[in-house]
């Protein structure tokens, strides 16, 4: 995981339910941040390579 960038713009996931079960994502060339939009406490940070491996895995397809 990496350190949080000083300035960031978060985007709500298009797969989030309308009942406020939202995930927000921050993207740039080197890292990806993920957080819960209704509880903006901890954020998870990944390198672009780690995020690509996650998207290619079967974990989130179920």
């Amino acid at each position: 995981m990496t350190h949080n960038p000083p300035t960031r713009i978060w985007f709500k996931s298009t797969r989030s339910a309308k009942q406020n079960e939202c995930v927000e994502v921050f993207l740039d060339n080197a890292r990806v941040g993920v957080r819960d939009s209704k509880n903006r406490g901890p954020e998870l940070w990944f390198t672009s390579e780690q995020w690509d491996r996650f998207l290619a895995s079967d974990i989130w397809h179920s």
Side-chain angles (χ1 to χ4, degrees):
M1 287 198 265
T2 61
H3 297 295
N4 299 352
T7 305
R8 49 195 183 260
I9 299 172
W10 293 87
F11 297 93
K12 182 179 172 182
S13 171
T14 57
R15 294 182 180 241
S16 294
K18 294 185 185 216
Q19 297 89 352
N20 252 354
E21 298 172 1
C22 304
V23 172
E24 293 179 323
V25 177
F26 170 86
L27 304 169
D28 73 13
N29 292 334
R31 61 193 165 243
V32 177
V34 180
R35 71 179 182 185
D36 182 343
S37 65
K38 64 187 176 306
N39 178 13
R40 293 186 179 157
E43 302 166 354
L44 299 175
W45 290 92
F46 304 93
T47 65
S48 296
E49 182 180 302
Q50 290 169 324
W51 188 250
D52 288 344
R53 283 196 311 254
F54 169 72
L55 293 179
S57 73
D58 290 332
I59 294 171
W60 72 285
H61 292 285
S62 52

